C-alpha cells in the first residue's frame, strides 16, 4: 500500500450512470447534484463543461473530466446550449420542457444508456463516487473544483474497452463498467498529479524518491508500528540526520509529524465505524492507551475523539 492506495481504498464506482446524448447538436445535459467526486469522459465527440461556478472548459474525445465538491454543471456541444435533460440523481432525470414532474419522455435507450435518441454521435459517460471520511477528504482537497486531464496513450485501452462494453447486457456487466471507470480514475489522478501546476496530497511526489518513497510506503503499510526516525532511517539505508532532512524537504513535514497526522486521519474514520471505542481505535493506530491517543488526537484535530463518536451516533467506549 502507498499514499494513493490508501486515499482511494474506499473510492468505488457503484452503478455508474451512462448518458448517451442527442445525436446531433445542439445538445446539453445538466447534472444537478453530482457526488463529491465525479468522473466524465467523451467516448465519442467533443463537449463543453459549464460549471455553475467557474468558466466553461472544453473536453475533447478521450479527455478525462474530474469534478469535486458536488457542484452542478452542464455538459453540451457548446457553452451556450440550453439543457434538454436534467439529471437529478442516479435514478431520476427529466426533460426541461416537461419540468421535474413531467412524464412525457422515456430516456432509456438501452442497457445503461440514456438520452433523446439512440443514434447519438456523441457519447458522454459519467461516474459518481461516494466519498466519505477524512481519508477521502485528503484526496478531494488536492483537486481543483474541475479538472480536465488531456488524453493520454495509457487511457486508450480502457476507453476502447469501455466503449465496447457500455451497451452490452450480460451478467455482471455493471461491475465490469464500474471497475473500468475506477481504473480510469486512478490513471487520471496519476496523470494530473504529474503535471507541474498540480498540487498533489502531501507526500505524493516523494513516492518517486527510492528511499523516501520506501519510508512512506512503510508508514502507510504499518501505521501502528512504534516507528522512530532511527528505525525509518535504517530501513532506507540512510543516516538519521540525512533521512530526517530529506524526508522533510520532500514531504513538507518531519517523519513523525507526518505519521501522527496520518494516524489521526485514519483514527477519525475508524471512530465513525459501528461499535467503535476510543480504546480500540487507539490500539489500531499505534497507541497503547486511550489517554495518550486522546491527547494526540485533540492536539492535531482540535476536538476530543469522543466528540467524533457522539456525532457519529455511537456511544464512547
Amino acid at each position: 500500500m502507498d499514499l494513493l492506495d490508501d486515499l482511494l481504498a474506499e473510492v468505488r464506482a457503484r452503478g455508474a450512470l451512462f448518458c448517451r446524448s442527442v445525436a446531433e447538436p445542439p445538445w446539453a445535459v445538466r447534472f444537478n447534484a453530482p457526488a463529491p467526486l465525479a468522473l466524465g469522459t467523451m467516448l465519442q465527440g467533443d463537449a463543453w463543461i459549464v460549471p455553475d461556478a467557474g468558466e466553461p472548459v472544453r473536453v475533447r474525445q478521450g479527455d478525462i473530466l474530474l469534478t469535486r465538491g458536488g457542484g452542478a454543471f452542464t455538459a453540451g456541444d457548446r457553452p451556450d446550449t440550453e439543457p434538454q435533460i436534467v439529471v437529478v440523481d442516479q435514478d431520476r432525470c427529466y426533460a426541461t420542457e416537461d419540468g421535474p414532474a413531467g412524464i412525457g419522455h422515456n430516456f432509456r435507450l438501452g442497457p445503461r444508456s440514456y438520452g433523446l435518441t439512440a443514434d447519438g454521435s456523441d457519447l458522454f459517460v459519467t461516474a459518481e463516487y461516494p466519498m466519505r471520511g477524512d481519508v477521502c477528504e485528503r484526496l478531494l482537497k488536492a483537486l481543483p473544483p474541475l479538472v480536465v486531464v488531456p488524453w493520454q496513450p495509457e487511457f486508450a485501452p480502457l476507453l476502447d474497452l469501455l466503449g465496447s462494453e457500455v451497451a452490452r447486457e450480460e451478467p455482471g456487466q455493471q461491475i465490469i463498467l464500474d471497475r473500468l471507470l475506477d481504473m480510469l480514475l486512478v490513471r487520471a489522478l496519476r496523470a494530473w498529479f504529474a503535471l507541474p501546476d498540480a498540487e498533489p496530497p502531501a507526500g505524493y511526489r516523494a513516492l518517486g524518491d527510492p528511499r523516501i518513497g520506501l519510508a512512506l510506503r512503510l508508514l502507510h503499510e504499518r501505521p501502528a508500528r512504534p516507528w522512530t526516525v532511527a528505525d525509518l532511517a535504517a530501513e532506507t539505508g540512510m543516516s538519521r540526520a540525512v533521512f530526517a532532512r530529506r524526508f522533510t524537504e520532500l514531504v513538507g513535514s518531519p517523519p513523525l509529524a507526518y505519521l501522527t497526522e496520518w494516524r489521526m486521519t485514519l483514527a477519525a474514520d475508524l471512530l465513525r465505524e459501528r461499535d467503535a471505542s476510543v480504546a480500540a481505535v487507539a490500539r489500531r493506530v499505534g497507541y497503547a492507551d486511550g489517554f495518550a491517543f486522546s491527547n494526540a488526537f485533540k492536539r492535531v484535530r482540535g476536538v476530543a475523539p469522543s466528540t467524533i463518536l457522539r456525532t457519529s451516533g455511537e456511544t464512547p467506549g
Side-chain angles (χ1 to χ4, degrees), residues 43 53 62 67 71 97 109-110 123 157 164 182 252 258 271:
L43 290 180
T67 65
E97 65 186 71
L109 303 174
L123 182 59
S164 68
D182 287 341
Y258 179 90
L271 287 165

Side-chain angles (χ1 to χ4, degrees), residues 60-284:
R60 300 188 182 279
Q61 183 170 320
D63 294 348
I64 304 297
L65 167 76
L66 300 175
T67 65
R68 67 119 175 110
F73 67 90
T74 299
D77 68 302
R78 292 174 53 86
D80 56 356
T81 300
E82 291 294 325
Q84 297 105 330
I85 300 175
V86 176
V87 178
V88 179
D89 55 32
Q90 195 78 349
D91 302 311
R92 292 181 296 160
C93 59
Y94 62 88
T96 52
E97 65 186 71
D98 293 335
I103 57 173
H105 290 87
N106 178 6
F107 299 111
R108 181 175 172 81
L109 303 174
R112 304 171 185 87
S113 296
Y114 302 85
L116 291 174
T117 175
D119 299 322
S121 60
D122 294 339
L123 182 59
F124 181 57
V125 177
T126 63
E128 297 187 350
Y129 294 86
M131 303 284 284
R132 295 182 295 273
D134 287 45
V135 172
C136 291
E137 188 64 24
R138 285 169 69 108
L139 174 62
L140 293 179
K141 286 181 178 178
L143 293 172
L146 192 152
V147 171
V148 176
V149 184
W151 179 88
Q152 306 276 332
E154 64 182 19
F155 297 167
L158 293 174
L159 292 174
D160 289 345
L161 187 56
L162 185 62
S164 68
E165 293 284 343
V166 69
R168 300 176 66 177
E169 184 69 277
E170 297 181 13
Q173 196 68 38
Q174 187 67 50
I175 294 295
I176 292 174
L177 294 170
D178 287 346
R179 296 296 77 80
L180 284 172
L181 290 168
D182 287 341
M183 287 188 283
L184 275 175
L185 174 64
V186 176
R187 296 272 186 170
L189 288 173
R190 291 197 312 203
W192 173 254
F193 290 147
L195 297 177
D197 294 338
E199 297 183 5
Y204 180 84
R205 287 194 172 128
L207 291 171
D209 183 279
R211 296 187 176 185
I212 303 305
L214 171 60
L216 282 166
R217 289 181 175 89
L218 289 171
L219 293 178
H220 280 262
E221 287 172 0
R222 288 173 276 174
R225 177 173 165 174
W227 292 105
T228 65
V229 174
D231 291 337
L232 291 166
E235 291 279 0
T236 59
M238 304 171 73
S239 72
R240 175 175 172 171
V242 171
F243 167 75
R245 182 172 63 251
R246 182 68 173 161
F247 188 102
T248 303
E249 288 173 353
L250 293 180
V251 178
S253 61
L256 298 189
Y258 179 90
L259 175 60
T260 299
E261 174 62 33
W262 179 242
R263 283 173 168 175
M264 297 307 108
T265 299
L266 294 173
D269 285 351
L270 291 171
L271 287 165
R272 297 184 179 98
E273 292 183 355
R274 182 176 179 83
D275 299 326
S277 71
V278 170
V281 171
R283 290 191 294 271
R284 290 180 65 179

Side-chain angles (χ1 to χ4, degrees), residues 3-37:
L3 173 60
L4 190 58
D5 291 329
D6 280 335
L7 295 181
L8 291 172
E10 299 301 323
V11 181
R12 296 287 187 275
R14 294 176 177 85
L17 172 67
F18 296 87
C19 189
R20 188 186 305 272
S21 299
V22 180
E24 300 295 336
W27 66 267
V29 180
R30 177 174 172 80
F31 296 84
N32 260 0
L37 178 64

Side-chain angles (χ1 to χ4, degrees), residues 45-66:
D46 298 345
W48 284 87
I49 304 299
V50 185
D52 280 11
E55 297 297 318
V57 296
R58 186 74 176 268
V59 179
R60 300 188 182 279
Q61 183 170 320
D63 294 348
I64 304 297
L65 167 76
L66 300 175

